[in-house]
Amino acid sequence: GNSNRAARPPSNQAHTSPSSQPRLQLCRNFASTGNCHHGERCKFSHVVKSLASIDVSDKNTDNKPSFNRGYGGNRPGGNGKVKDKHKVTSIAVWETNGAIKLFTGSHDGKWRLWNTAASAGGSGATLTKEFEHFVGGPVDIVHVASNYFFCGFETSPTEAPAAKAGMVHSWNLNAAQDPPMELCISPMAKYAGSGRIRSLCTTPDGRVWSGGSDGVIREWSFNSQGGTFNIVRSISGHLGAVTGLALINGVLWSGGMDGTLRLWSIESGEGAHLIPAVRKDAPQQVGNGVLPVGHSGPVTGLIPFEVPSDQSTYAFTSSLDETVMVWNATNGECVASEKHGQGVTSIALTSDLKGNPLLLCGLFYGDIMVRGTLSNPPLCLLLKISHNFLGVGHELGPVNDIQPGPGHTFYAVADDGKLTVWQIGGDFGI
């Protein structure tokens, strides 16, 4: 099925090592259509297929050709394609009454709710828009937690119509007709931050942490009497946007555009540990083969990982410095680091059909890599999903968010305005 492999445009393989070659090569026919006439005899892998790809963002009328400078990679001019859609920044999966629904957030100022269903033919999925809501400015994050839907966006507050502020609104999905709750710093500051809201972390008991582009992490608590969120404290330390937040072993981890990772006591809000950023030109090995500790570019993702067999906990972080790093959550040591040949812009965990945990990496140019986690070697590259090669996926990056769903599905959104839906269905051999 892959006769046109030779015609593939040269990608970023030139400056990558043999270990950066994926273990499996996807079958183009199967990945794009769910069918392959070679069946079992196919030389290529049938482990992942595309279920759907749809536009989930409005046209951007003041588009310009994409020029990607600085971090992320070295393809000249971001392949010159015009990004004619507003970027889709975030996706959240909502499992309700046996259905899989999806919230997407876009810089066109809207969040949208999608219902998913299997296509009549059986190999794909059909996505139907159930609802869309214009919040008044670019949406940077959507998040679902215990039947509450959170949306972080930027708009002008009523008291300062010429200024911009970060807002977080929360809808109770069991009473969706009610007006949203608003996270407000104070009655005289009816917003959640002085800059955009770039990250959210929630607990089942109603605690919320928001990370802003003003560098401030704010903790909020749900007041069930008044049905409101009240601010508990503000936590400062990051220089620039707080792009990742995760609660790991009862400690709040944060990552930011400044390249640092910071750990905070959730009892006091005091800083407990700092993993500083390193210089971009720092040596790769620091004597005795010790890994350099820290990222050398903005942190884009931060997720917790628990090893099923022994409950040991780790943090996975991604960065525009092209790496994913793995940190022992008990002592903060870096235990693994892997380069990707382009900036890593989003990460998520899922599993194969045997239950082996897998790491999904959304990349700067629209590719998605699937890696092992506890594999040998760790973070072993299993698969690369590339629009160049498959004809499906994201033609333009960055892949801004990637999220796992039930039934071995996963979902990605990118600067091209698209939502793509994928399903894992085979053996990765790990």
Side-chain angles (χ1 to χ4, degrees), residues 12-361:
N12 46 8
Q13 300 303 325
H15 58 278
T16 54
S17 62
S19 69
S20 63
Q21 292 303 316
R23 201 177 271 188
L24 303 171
Q25 186 83 43
L26 268 184
C27 167
R28 183 176 179 140
N29 290 344
F30 185 82
S32 55
T33 66
N35 297 302
C36 166
H37 61 271
H38 294 293
E40 304 266 299
R41 299 190 317 281
C42 184
K43 295 200 292 284
F44 299 95
S45 174
H46 289 189
V47 289
V48 169
K49 64 179 177 182
S50 162
L51 295 184
S53 172
I54 61 162
D55 286 320
V56 295
S57 194
D58 290 341
K59 268 206 164 352
N60 183 1
T61 46
D62 55 348
N63 54 36
K64 298 174 183 63
S66 63
F67 293 107
N68 296 321
R69 288 192 201 87
Y71 289 101
N74 59 0
R75 291 186 198 174
N79 71 16
K81 287 222 170 9
V82 173
K83 298 185 179 180
D84 61 344
K85 294 274 195 299
H86 285 277
K87 67 165 83 170
V88 193
T89 51
S90 185
I91 181 161
V93 180
W94 178 33
E95 293 178 62
T96 170
N97 303 329
I100 306 174
K101 298 193 178 186
L102 307 169
F103 287 98
T104 56
S106 161
H107 272 194
D108 62 13
K110 296 175 186 172
W111 60 259
R112 294 168 172 85
L113 176 62
W114 306 85
N115 194 12
T116 69
S119 300
S123 80
T126 306
L127 279 78
T128 321
K129 184 166 65 178
E130 286 196 356
F131 194 73
E132 71 175 27
H133 181 65
F134 180 65
V135 290
V139 175
D140 281 309
I141 188 155
V142 291
H143 178 81
V144 172
S146 17
N147 272 326
Y148 283 85
F149 166 62
F150 294 85
C151 178
F153 60 98
E154 182 189 55
T155 191
S156 298
T158 44
E159 70 254 41
K164 294 272 193 264
M167 308 282 185
V168 178
H169 287 187
S170 175
W171 283 262
N172 179 347
L173 293 172
N174 293 328
Q177 66 288 343
D178 292 357
M181 294 169 283
E182 302 183 18
L183 278 63
C184 297
I185 291 175
S186 80
M188 288 188 221
K190 292 200 157 133
Y191 41 86
S194 62
R196 289 184 164 170
I197 305 300
R198 295 289 305 276
S199 48
L200 284 171
C201 172
T202 54
T203 63
D205 62 356
R207 296 172 88 172
V208 176
W209 287 268
S210 61
S213 63
D214 53 8
V216 180
I217 300 165
R218 291 179 176 85
E219 182 186 341
W220 313 81
S221 66
F222 183 60
N223 170 3
S224 47
Q225 272 75 42
T228 56
F229 284 92
N230 300 335
I231 187 157
V232 177
R233 62 168 64 96
S234 298
I235 303 171
S236 293
H238 278 286
L239 299 166
V242 180
T243 50
L245 287 169
L247 204 54
I248 309 177
N249 288 355
V251 174
L252 184 69
W253 285 59
S254 62
M257 289 294 288
D258 59 7
T260 67
L261 298 168
R262 294 169 186 267
L263 282 64
W264 311 90
S265 155
I266 58 170
E267 281 71 41
S268 67
E270 298 291 317
H273 187 62
L274 163 68
I275 298 170
V278 299
R279 287 174 50 151
K280 213 174 172 180
D281 52 8
Q284 283 303 296
Q285 299 289 337
V286 188
N288 309 337
V290 179
L291 290 163
V293 284
H295 284 292
S296 62
V299 174
T300 55
L302 168 58
I303 52 175
F305 175 65
E306 186 173 290
V307 177
S309 55
D310 63 1
Q311 272 79 60
S312 58
T313 49
Y314 295 86
F316 283 73
T317 56
S318 59
S319 169
L320 292 186
D321 67 8
E322 308 191 350
T323 65
V324 165
M325 291 186 177
V326 185
W327 308 88
N328 179 329
T330 312
N331 60 17
E333 279 179 14
C334 182
V335 294
S337 174
E338 201 57 58
K339 288 286 248 193
H340 291 67
Q342 52 182 294
V344 186
T345 47
S346 49
I347 47 173
L349 287 159
T350 186
S351 62
D352 68 7
L353 301 189
K354 296 183 199 159
N356 295 311
L358 301 173
L359 181 69
L360 304 168
C361 306

